[in-house]
Amino acid sequence: MGTKNSRIAGFYQLSPEQRLQEVKSFDGLNEMDLTMLRGGNGILSVARADKMIENVVGTFELPLGIATNFQINGQDKLVPMAVEEPSIVAGASFAAKLARAGGGFSTSSTRALMIGQVQLVDVPDVDAARTAVLAQRDAILELANAQSSSLVKLGGGAEDVEVQHFADSPTGPMLVVHVVVDCLDAMGANAVNSMAEAVAPMLERLTGGRAYLRILSNLTDRRLAKATVVLPPAALARPDMPGHEVVQGMLHAYAFAAVDPYRATTHNKGILNGIDPVLIATGQDWRAVEAGAHAYAARNGRYTSLSTWRRDEAGNLVGELEMPLAVGIVGGATKVHPAAQAALKLLNVQSARELAEVCVCAGLASNVAAMRALATEGIQQGHMALHARQIAMSVGASGTLVDLVAEQMVRERNIKPARASELLRQHTDVYI
Ligand code: MEV
């Protein structure tokens, strides 16, 4: 048992600098460590970060890359991606380049409908309760909409009420009332949660039950974005493999994900590799999108691939990705984080739906890159150079030494920290 105590009373009341000093004494960090934790050299100041979340000691940076070559509904886009994993930005850009041969990506999306859930237990008469709730639909919607006049003014807001009954649960039967809300350009979590909380007392009166949870659902299956891509075999061909063989390999890759949840999870992770970085760069709640994506992938009772792939009559590989994408371009971190604002400006999207459509294209592009690599040379070949650079940096290489050490490790096919250290020592000796 250690003697450290993480119970630091009043931590939240300290300034970021005072919190850092507490953190320092907790775990033997030195001044350099504190400088790293403090961050703050970037555009998101510690003062601003301190207003965004609790117990702030600094800011944390990620590489921000720009994926190139995207053509979406005939418009060229540069896509900002914040992510730590090598190959993602390169893979998405490469796939977007291949996609241009078939006209780029085409997209569509549904309205931004979210669901607020109110859980009611101890309901004496389920049928009577259901009837009472539905009879008061308009009053419930009016009360919900009183919570978000701005949404309503813009043409959105709560628009429907639904009742679900779960006859059995670990604590007995329950009634769940859904308030369906059009969130327009907001992600909508705040509006939907406020509405759910506001209508709960009325629902208690109407049903005679007791309300417990009042919260949005992240399974936003009425807020979908879809992207389609057509890849001519010639674009997919490799020097050592004709295009139609690559198409066949990629169809096998898809089929594997379609039938096997173990593979589908990784396949979908590859899709989210393209989406999460755009979400992060534009200040979105990427956990919400992740949760919705995986739940949607299991919507038919078995977890499967989010994307579908087929060969068309001309022999082209045609991919489609449709999934929940709850994003916003107003409110939340999009407005507070200066880099997120600039990223949104770069994307030049006019609506949350347009942003969702860009995200789903980035996801489909990542899926293409992964499937093509997996179905041909394997994933490690392309990863090796970038991975080697990370290993080189992890043992302390900087500047030109990163490439020198990395390239040699790739040549030797020996990409290990021990080898990187050795090479770094050798090269450093030469330079000193
Ligand atoms: C790695 O981050 C993502 C992949 O595993 C995706 C996939 O397997 O499709 C390459």
Side-chain angles (χ1 to χ4, degrees), residues 85-88 253 257 263-271 273 366-374 379 383:
E85 185 176 332
S87 300
I88 287 181
R263 172 59 205 149
T265 307
T266 322
H267 177 96
N268 291 342
K269 190 270 184 183
I271 289 172
N273 268 351
S366 268
N367 192 209
V368 169
M371 287 204 315
R372 182 173 180 271
L374 286 166
I379 211 76
H383 274 190

Side-chain angles (χ1 to χ4, degrees), residues 140-204:
I140 296 167
L141 292 178
E142 194 180 325
L143 183 55
N145 280 329
Q147 313 308 310
S148 187
S149 52
S150 54
L151 256 190
V152 178
K153 244 184 256 148
L154 293 166
E159 60 176 48
D160 207 0
V161 175
E162 298 165 351
V163 182
Q164 290 208 74
H165 177 226
F166 295 95
D168 198 17
S169 84
T171 57
M174 67 181 68
L175 210 63
V176 177
V177 175
H178 284 182
V179 180
V180 183
V181 185
D182 186 349
C183 295
L184 302 177
D185 285 327
M187 188 275 187
N190 276 330
V192 174
N193 291 340
S194 304
M195 289 179 184
E197 291 190 3
V199 300
M202 181 188 268
L203 294 174
E204 284 185 324

